[in-house]
Amino acid sequence: MSNDAKRFAGEKAIEFVEDGMIVGVGTGSTVAYFIDALAAWKDRIAGAVSSSEQSTKRLRAHGIEVLDLNATGTLSLYVDGADECDPHRRLIKGGGAALTREKIIAEASERFICIIDPSKQVDVLGRFPLPVEVIPMARSLVARNLLRLTGGQPVWRDGVVTDNGNLILDVHHLSIVDPVGMEREINQIPGVVSVGLFARRPADVVIVGADPPRVL
Ligand code: 5RP
């Protein structure tokens, strides 16, 4: 997918930013375009809450102040990308291993704007392997439970440690017909920190990068 599609989506999301806002900022290559566009707003916003060390670095490089979510309270806006998006704006996220902080900020935000290129649109979630962040000592236990629960194939994302010091299992070969139910079930496995299904709290608006961008 061309970077232009990601750039069109990232730049369009700027239209949702308002003076004085604290902006929740996701992670990934599409969000990088949003951060670059947000730089022009740095003196008009009150700061940003970041979902990863990667985004924090980019925000600070632009001179945008990064704030602690514990000090900000509820955010009015969160902008983030996704690995898959269904027609109900439910998402798979976590390709960049930032799913836990992303889910926290999505939950803390009144409005979640998801920015994607057209390749991310699917009818049924699951073609993209579903990321699950796990406590290291529970890796094998959680993998066995995921296999039994979902019928998919969990694969350890070897070499990746999340910003929270945890591991990622990617569950392959899924066709997720009940995303809310699967999110709830996976969350109940001991050792799971979070699952990259954003179904209980889907995006409120999806921007698909094109010229002109499509707002869903
Ligand atoms: C990171 C994410 C990203 O939003 C997702 O992987 C999409 O990334 P990109 O914009 O680079 O395609 O969930 O954890």
Side-chain angles (χ1 to χ4, degrees), residues 175-196:
S175 177
I176 306 174
V177 290
D178 177 12
V180 173
M182 185 176 283
E183 181 177 5
R184 187 178 52 237
E185 292 295 314
I186 292 177
N187 273 330
Q188 284 172 7
I189 302 172
V192 166
V193 178
S194 64
V195 52

Side-chain angles (χ1 to χ4, degrees), residues 1-7 9 29-30 81-83 85 114-121 206-210 214:
M1 183 49 56
S2 83
N3 284 342
D4 279 349
K6 295 186 180 214
R7 183 168 55 79
S29 55
T30 315
D83 301 298
C85 176
C114 182
I115 50 178
I116 55 171
D117 65 64
S119 72
K120 309 289 182 66
Q121 291 185 286
V206 173
I207 301 175
V208 185
R214 286 183 291 127

Side-chain angles (χ1 to χ4, degrees), residues 12-215:
K12 179 74 177 173
I14 284 294
E15 292 177 14
F16 291 83
V17 178
E18 293 172 13
D19 284 290
M21 267 184 175
I22 298 173
V23 183
V25 176
T27 298
S29 55
T30 315
V31 165
Y33 288 109
F34 173 71
I35 295 175
D36 292 350
L38 193 62
W41 275 74
K42 73 174 172 197
D43 297 325
R44 294 174 60 178
I45 58 171
V49 172
S50 171
S51 61
S52 64
E53 301 303 325
Q54 182 193 109
S55 289
T56 296
K57 206 169 150 193
R58 199 172 189 104
L59 286 160
R60 289 199 172 126
H62 283 302
I64 298 170
E65 190 180 0
V66 177
L67 304 168
D68 179 356
L69 183 64
N70 291 301
T72 62
T74 302
L75 305 179
S76 34
L77 181 69
Y78 178 48
V79 178
D80 197 359
D83 301 298
E84 276 188 355
C85 176
D86 80 4
H88 304 284
R89 298 188 297 273
R90 300 176 297 200
L91 313 169
I92 286 183
K93 293 185 44 53
L99 61 155
T100 298
R101 296 187 190 188
E102 292 172 339
K103 198 171 255 197
I104 291 167
I105 302 179
E107 183 71 20
S109 300
E110 285 166 355
R111 206 160 188 215
F112 175 9
I113 313 292
C114 182
I115 50 178
I116 55 171
D117 65 64
S119 72
K120 309 289 182 66
Q121 291 185 286
V122 297
D123 288 328
V124 178
L125 299 171
R127 193 179 56 203
F128 189 91
L130 177 64
V132 181
E133 179 165 353
V134 300
I135 299 286
M137 73 169 284
R139 192 192 79 230
S140 299
L141 171 76
V142 172
R144 289 195 297 276
N145 276 278
L146 285 170
L147 181 64
R148 195 166 51 232
L149 183 74
T150 69
Q153 183 62 50
V155 176
W156 176 21
R157 205 184 293 178
D158 203 359
V160 171
V161 176
T162 70
D163 287 347
N164 312 307
N166 297 315
L167 307 177
I168 300 284
L169 294 170
D170 294 305
V171 188
H172 293 247
H173 312 306
L174 293 177
S175 177
I176 306 174
V177 290
D178 177 12
V180 173
M182 185 176 283
E183 181 177 5
R184 187 178 52 237
E185 292 295 314
I186 292 177
N187 273 330
Q188 284 172 7
I189 302 172
V192 166
V193 178
S194 64
V195 52
L197 264 175
F198 286 55
R200 188 184 66 79
R201 199 279 182 253
D204 299 303
V205 175
V206 173
I207 301 175
V208 185
D211 190 12
R214 286 183 291 127
V215 179

